[in-house]
Amino acid sequence: MLILNKAAGVFSKPSKGKIYEYLRSSNFHPGKAFLHKVVLGIETSCDDTAAAVVDETGNVLGEAIHSQTEVHLKTGGIIPPVAQQLHRENIQRIVQEALSASRVPPSELSAVATTTMPGLALSLGVGLSFSLQLVGQLRKPFIPIHHMEAHALTIRLTNEVEFPFLVLLISGGHCLLALVRGVADFLLLGKSLDIAPGDMLDKVARRLSLTKHPECAAMSGGKAIEHLAKQGNRLRFDLTPPMHRAKNCDFSFTGLQHAVNKIITQKEKEEGVEQGQVLASAADIAAAVQHTTACHLAKRTHRALLFCQQRGLLPSSNTALMSSGGGYIQRSWRSRHKSPTIKNEDLSPAGVAQWSGSTYEPGDPGSIPGQGTGPDCRLDAR
């Protein structure tokens, strides 16, 4: 593993000009260049250092991951320079473990694929620097990976899903709806106008001081909300899903966060609890905010489905909705909708309306942003 040792020793971030020049010079053509080949994938977009060796049929030959969760729990959130340093300390080992598990020597790799956007700039820089050094030494092609587009397409590795299909991408950093028409062909239907649902739930968890809750001390904010929600009464507090009158497919979570903060402040006064202590009603608040978040996601997805069906953008049969993204957001959504891939009979407008707790009203779902073929069709979610 001498080559990996050399790559790990160079972590100075290349200039943007050199990076873009390198990416433009890459002669990779999706679906053509690496048939019957094996690719090393590297992911450092946020707080996990991960690597996997995958063949062209989607088989994972070897993988490894290092989680930074315990470190970031102590600081109350992800601090980019800390995440960057942890990536630097672990990337060589993780790549080495993935290659060892796959039994594929570096010299036999067909290419190296690495997340280049979107994500934390400092974290992305570690993976990119390591990968550029590695492909330079191995003389292998480099494949820049768009994080959100990869989420949207991953389902095709494990399920027989044909284009086009609708995808809902939800995580701690992103929230968007898109029509996937091909490997590099996306129509952006809606995105969060402010913060992502995972970010909102993390902030609510901090406001509830859930790190002091005996059952949640070792959990991330979103996971703590999910855990307590199972014990709570979601009907105790009346929270209205955001943007219920908006005639588009966008999302918003800042207003919901402010509404929950008001409830927490009021309950602190009623219970005689100082800020920073755990409320007796914490589980009920967690249940209410998680339920309202799921309803908001379902209602906006309902509008996107109506739009696509009325414009003939989705087939009338074998229609598929796929959700992908962050872990605890996914568990909440999937527990409500049973499956990461929902087909056919469940995708009638009335069916989606039933999930979301709304009623089906035929008609124009409203104007949808991002219908052109320009930058808006990329899944940047900035």
Side-chain angles (χ1 to χ4, degrees), residues 335-359:
S335 65
R336 185 176 177 85
H337 303 308
K338 308 302 180 185
S339 172
T341 307
I342 306 166
K343 304 288 276 296
N344 266 2
E345 63 275 5
D346 293 331
L347 273 181
S348 66
V352 178
Q354 184 177 9
W355 298 343
S356 65
S358 62
T359 56

Side-chain angles (χ1 to χ4, degrees), residues 20-42:
Y20 294 146
E21 181 181 352
Y22 191 96
L23 299 183
R24 284 195 298 270
S25 67
S26 173
N27 58 359
F28 171 70
H29 299 286
K32 296 181 180 180
F34 304 111
L35 293 177
H36 310 295
K37 300 298 176 70
V38 177
V39 175
L40 168 65
I42 297 175

Side-chain angles (χ1 to χ4, degrees), residues 43-377:
E43 153 66 14
T44 63
S45 64
C46 191
D47 59 337
D48 286 337
T49 310
V53 180
V54 184
D55 66 19
E56 81 284 358
T57 64
N59 293 321
V60 178
L61 306 179
E63 61 183 331
I65 186 170
H66 173 80
S67 174
Q68 303 177 5
T69 300
E70 290 187 11
V71 174
H72 296 304
L73 277 175
K74 296 176 182 178
T75 58
I78 298 173
I79 299 176
V82 174
Q84 177 191 41
Q85 183 59 34
L86 291 172
H87 283 305
R88 287 175 171 172
E89 293 173 0
N90 291 283
I91 190 168
Q92 178 192 346
R93 174 179 61 83
I94 291 302
V95 171
Q96 200 163 342
E97 288 179 4
L99 286 168
S100 297
S102 72
R103 298 185 178 180
V104 176
S107 60
E108 293 185 16
L109 291 171
S110 305
V112 176
T114 304
T115 306
T116 57
M117 64 181 294
L120 297 178
L122 294 179
S123 294
L124 288 168
V126 175
L128 184 56
S129 296
F130 183 92
S131 301
L132 294 181
Q133 278 293 120
L134 188 59
V135 298
Q137 293 166 21
L138 293 173
R139 298 188 177 182
K140 302 292 183 179
F142 176 72
I143 309 172
I145 298 297
H146 189 290
H147 189 185
M148 302 311 290
E149 291 179 3
H151 272 308
L153 295 170
T154 299
I155 191 67
R156 286 170 52 84
L157 291 177
T158 56
N159 295 264
E160 293 185 5
V161 180
E162 300 296 328
F163 297 119
F165 60 89
L166 189 64
V167 64
L168 170 66
L169 301 179
I170 40 181
S171 70
H174 303 279
C175 184
L176 58 88
L177 277 162
L179 180 69
V180 185
R181 299 180 292 199
V183 171
D185 187 3
F186 299 86
L187 176 63
L188 182 61
L189 302 175
K191 62 183 180 180
S192 177
L193 301 178
D194 35 63
I195 61 176
D199 186 19
M200 182 271 295
L201 293 177
D202 282 342
K203 290 176 178 177
V204 170
R206 283 197 293 271
R207 183 64 182 84
L208 285 169
S209 302
L210 295 188
T211 54
K212 297 181 180 180
H213 193 288
E215 298 179 18
C216 305
M219 297 180 183
S220 63
K223 191 172 182 179
I225 291 288
E226 177 193 23
H227 176 76
L228 286 184
K230 296 175 183 177
Q231 309 169 20
N233 176 12
R234 63 180 175 82
L235 300 178
R236 181 176 175 185
F237 299 103
D238 184 19
L239 291 171
T240 303
M243 300 183 68
H244 61 284
R245 296 184 183 275
K247 292 185 177 182
N248 55 41
C249 298
D250 290 327
F251 302 87
S252 175
F253 298 94
T254 298
L256 178 57
Q257 177 196 337
H258 291 332
V260 175
N261 285 345
K262 289 182 179 180
I263 290 175
I264 295 173
T265 300
Q266 181 61 34
K267 296 307 294 182
E268 286 172 341
K269 293 178 181 177
E270 293 178 7
E271 295 183 17
V273 171
E274 294 183 2
Q275 183 172 334
Q277 296 180 329
V278 180
L279 289 167
S281 54
D284 294 336
I285 295 173
V289 68
Q290 180 174 271
H291 173 72
T292 306
T293 300
C295 285
H296 181 42
L297 293 170
K299 291 186 180 197
R300 308 317 288 172
T301 303
H302 178 203
R303 294 191 63 84
L305 176 62
L306 287 177
F307 173 80
C308 291
Q309 290 185 333
Q310 291 181 7
R311 302 296 174 89
L313 299 176
L314 284 172
S316 56
S317 62
N318 290 325
T319 305
L321 163 65
M322 194 275 287
S323 62
S324 180
Y328 52 85
I329 292 289
Q330 285 302 304
R331 287 191 294 272
S332 171
W333 170 261
R334 290 176 184 176
S335 65
R336 185 176 177 85
H337 303 308
K338 308 302 180 185
S339 172
T341 307
I342 306 166
K343 304 288 276 296
N344 266 2
E345 63 275 5
D346 293 331
L347 273 181
S348 66
V352 178
Q354 184 177 9
W355 298 343
S356 65
S358 62
T359 56
Y360 170 48
E361 299 178 0
D364 183 6
S367 59
I368 308 295
Q371 295 183 43
T373 57
D376 278 349
C377 292

